[in-house]
Amino acid sequence: MSSYWDGVDFADTTLIGSKVLDDKMVEFFFSFTDGDEQRFDSLSIKGLGVLLGKAKIQMKMYEYVLGFALNGYAKMGRDAVTDYLLNYPQIFEGEITKEQGMRLDSITEPYQKVRVGVVAPNYSGTTIDNKNYNLYESDAQHIIVVFWSTDCEYCHDFLTQIRKHLDLKSDFELVTFALADDNEDVAKQVKKMHLTGYHFYDDLRWESKAFLDYHITSTPTVFVLDENKTIVCKPYDWYELKDWLKLNNLSY
């Protein structure tokens, strides 16, 4: 892993934002994990440790690499990897200035707000069928929050699996936020999938409050909240959600 970066001068800040560096990082991230799903997270973490260890020779470079990696792994739904990155790998106490620490915090702040173990951002509004809803006022034991797109087949499959396997009237409450052409498009797809729950659409799309508060960069993105509105799981797909349900002795 280390030899991959031979010849790259991480002190050269002109590389920051360059296609050369970006492409090389993407190639690096997948070169040693391709086809090994079981060890994807652990191998990624090992590789990122090497990369960030080299990048910290220049803190501006470290900041860029950290942000680039966070964005990429968050989009893939790799929570174990993003949590690793949120701890500033290879940076040790007393090694950076207060100003540098503040810059790192500004990069990670959006991700920190929606990591497993923190209270989810509140949301209140009117659903597509004119119901008033406030997340923090819900008394559901578990809430599944789904950000999806009406033209995304994978989103439809994930939501359909949730509807088929979970009791959305007693054990779970479903709250969704859609990217769509309009309100009617969302209503049509919700009806087609026979979804219960609370469903929202906003013309601002990616710039809507919910998408910004939850730092959504791709769909589907799913959060499972407990009765205290704490994020307890961020499943990448139905199988990962099923594993979490099994681990927590919840029926499905």
Side-chain angles (χ1 to χ4, degrees), residues 29-40:
F29 294 155
F30 288 99
S31 62
F32 52 86
T33 56
D34 187 37
D36 196 345
E37 178 60 29
Q38 288 188 332
R39 295 198 301 157
F40 185 93

Side-chain angles (χ1 to χ4, degrees), residues 87-98:
N87 289 315
Y88 308 148
Q90 304 296 332
I91 299 296
F92 304 101
E93 187 175 357
E95 202 171 29
I96 60 175
T97 66
K98 182 178 180 180

Side-chain angles (χ1 to χ4, degrees), residues 125-133 174 176 183-184 186-188 190-191 195-201:
T126 304
T127 66
I128 59 172
D129 52 353
N130 295 314
K131 296 177 183 176
N132 293 323
Y133 180 80
L174 178 63
T176 76
N183 212 62
E184 291 183 5
V186 182
K188 178 182 177 181
V190 165
K191 182 178 181 180
L195 296 178
T196 58
Y198 301 89
H199 309 287
F200 296 91
Y201 168 75

Side-chain angles (χ1 to χ4, degrees), residues 59 63 91-105:
M59 278 305 298
E63 292 165 12
I91 299 296
F92 304 101
E93 187 175 357
E95 202 171 29
I96 60 175
T97 66
K98 182 178 180 180
E99 182 182 353
Q100 289 170 334
M102 290 175 65
R103 286 205 302 268
L104 290 178
D105 289 345

